[in-house]
């Protein structure tokens, strides 16, 4: 899932921030770094600050424009240190993380876009994003270091990802419940049940084969309506078998565990 998230840095001036971003990403299990027209890359300083996250730097994709960086993304989230006074849907980092993972679960890809150290993202760039993300820092001092802002967002992504680990998807939940209890019976199983039911009702003289009336069709309607599962069918068939034995006077001794 985390491979569906790319971190996009726009026009970064300090290579140390690129290295710090790579380190933060690797720490949190993200791997896709895209650099839009970086001022100084590749760089020894980036490598030094990456502290071993060299694989992220080596795999970083360098592109000339933000548009290139966003190719294939269906959800774009742009970060901003300031309130730009553009009325735009605004998320905090936690909401950003859950929104991103929900989007990935639906089959999409996500870009988290970060701006220049000296000027952030332009209004035009921010308007390419469906959501803006603001870290609710001290309003008197709200601008974080670029790599630190990346760290905050990717940490929240990791927390949201950990929370959905091991949780079955909606589809898997339906399937596992079905496995336990609600696999519906097939029509031929239902037909065998009706035959068994009919012979049992004859055995206990509830049904007169000479004058059956509409009993069996009414019972078909009843059982057909109730959506019997395989498990429930086994119980019904067991009841019929024991009823027939009782009618013949050969009731078997059952322990409680059998029921
Ligand atoms: N001087 C710039 C700040 C740029 S900080 C300005 O006033 O906009 C560099 C980048 O770090 C920002 O573009 C943004 O991507 C990220 N960043 C820093 N502080 C942030 C915050 N509080 N919320 C969200 N992103 C932040």
């Amino acid at each position: 899932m985390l491979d569906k998230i790319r971190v996009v840095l726009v026009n970064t001036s300090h290579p140390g921030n690129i290295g710090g971003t790579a380190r933060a990403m690797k720490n949190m299990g993200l791997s896709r770094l895209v650099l839009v027209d970086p001022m100084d890359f590749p760089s020894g300083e980036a490598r030094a600050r990456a502290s071993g996250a060299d694989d992220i730097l080596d795999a970083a994709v360098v592109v000339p424009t933000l548009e290139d960086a966003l190719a294939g993304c269906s959800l774009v989230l742009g970060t901003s240190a300031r309130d730009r006074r553009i009325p735009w849907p605004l998320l905090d980092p936690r909401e950003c993380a859950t929104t991103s993972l929900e989007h990935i679960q639906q089959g999409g890809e996500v870009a988290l876009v970060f701006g220049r150290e000296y000027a952030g993202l332009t209004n035009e760039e921010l308007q390419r994003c469906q959501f803006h993300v603001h870290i609710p820092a001290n309003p008197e001092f709200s601008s974080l270091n670029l790599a630190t802002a990346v760290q905050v967002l990717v940490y929240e992504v990791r927390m949201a990802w950990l929370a959905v680990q091991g949780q079955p998807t909606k589809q898997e939940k339906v399937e596992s419940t079905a496995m336990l209890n609600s696999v519906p019976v097939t029509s031929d199983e239902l037909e065998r049940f009706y035959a068994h039911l009919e012979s049992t009702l004859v055995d206990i003289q509830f049904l007169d084969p000479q004058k059956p009336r509409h009993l069996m069709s009414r019972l078909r309607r009843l059982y057909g309506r109730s959506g019997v599962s395989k498990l429930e069918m086994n119980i019904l068939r067991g009841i019929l078998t024991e009823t027939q034995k009782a009618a013949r006077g050969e009731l078997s001794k059952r322990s409680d565990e059998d029921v």
Side-chain angles (χ1 to χ4, degrees):
M1 270 182 108
L2 298 180
D3 289 344
K4 302 285 181 201
I5 300 180
R6 67 188 82 169
V7 171
V8 178
L9 303 186
V10 178
N11 271 167
T12 310
S13 28
H14 298 298
N17 279 332
I18 298 177
T21 293
R23 180 180 187 173
M25 288 173 63
K26 189 164 181 175
N27 283 147
M28 299 299 129
L30 278 77
S31 58
R32 292 177 65 192
L33 176 60
V34 183
L35 305 171
V36 179
D37 192 22
M39 299 214 179
D40 183 6
F41 187 82
S43 125
E45 202 182 333
R47 209 153 280 271
R49 279 280 305 278
S51 304
D54 297 60
D55 50 337
I56 309 284
L57 290 181
D58 293 339
V61 179
V62 179
V63 294
T65 67
L66 178 58
E67 197 173 348
D68 294 316
L70 302 181
C73 277
S74 37
L75 177 65
V76 181
L77 301 132
T79 52
S80 176
R82 290 180 286 147
D83 175 7
R84 305 273 171 151
R85 306 218 181 279
I86 317 170
W88 216 260
L90 189 67
L91 304 176
D92 67 29
R94 204 153 291 174
E95 294 165 331
C96 161
T98 50
T99 304
S100 298
L101 290 188
E102 277 165 17
H103 192 76
I104 292 165
Q105 281 177 319
Q106 286 157 9
E109 289 206 23
V110 177
L112 306 178
V113 185
F114 296 84
R116 300 151 187 86
E117 290 92 333
Y118 59 94
L121 293 167
T122 65
N123 285 343
E124 198 193 356
E125 287 162 347
L126 280 167
Q127 286 172 29
R128 298 195 76 109
C129 306
Q130 284 107 306
F131 292 95
H132 292 169
V133 184
H134 177 69
I135 301 164
N138 175 4
E140 310 294 318
F141 194 66
S142 65
S143 179
L144 280 74
N145 162 264
L146 171 58
T148 309
V150 172
Q151 179 74 79
V152 171
L153 261 71
V154 295
Y155 167 73
E156 289 294 345
V157 165
R158 184 162 189 86
M159 290 303 285
W161 177 74
L162 287 172
V164 299
Q165 284 311 289
Q167 268 182 16
T169 63
K170 276 182 195 156
Q171 184 57 31
E172 284 166 351
K173 258 186 213 158
V174 170
E175 280 166 7
S176 65
T177 314
M179 287 305 289
L180 283 178
N181 198 18
S182 41
V183 178
V185 280
T186 60
S187 62
D188 54 308
E189 285 167 327
L190 212 48
E191 284 309 312
R192 286 197 290 276
F193 165 69
Y194 292 137
H196 195 176
L197 179 61
E198 188 169 6
S199 66
T200 306
L201 295 176
V202 171
D203 286 355
I204 63 171
Q205 296 178 8
F206 190 84
L207 175 66
D208 180 354
Q210 306 308 316
K211 282 188 273 172
R213 306 201 194 201
H214 299 297
L215 181 64
M216 284 315 296
S217 52
R218 289 193 170 118
L219 288 171
R220 278 173 174 268
R221 193 174 58 191
L222 168 63
Y223 285 105
R225 200 172 58 222
S226 51
V228 180
S229 71
K230 281 184 191 287
L231 186 88
E232 292 161 342
M233 180 55 75
N234 287 343
I235 295 170
L236 291 172
R237 293 292 294 269
I239 291 170
L240 294 180
T241 301
E242 293 306 310
T243 305
Q244 286 180 308
K245 283 184 190 166
R248 291 197 294 264
E250 46 183 73
L251 196 57
S252 66
K253 286 201 180 75
R254 290 167 64 98
S255 69
D256 286 346
E257 286 93 328
D258 290 336
V259 179

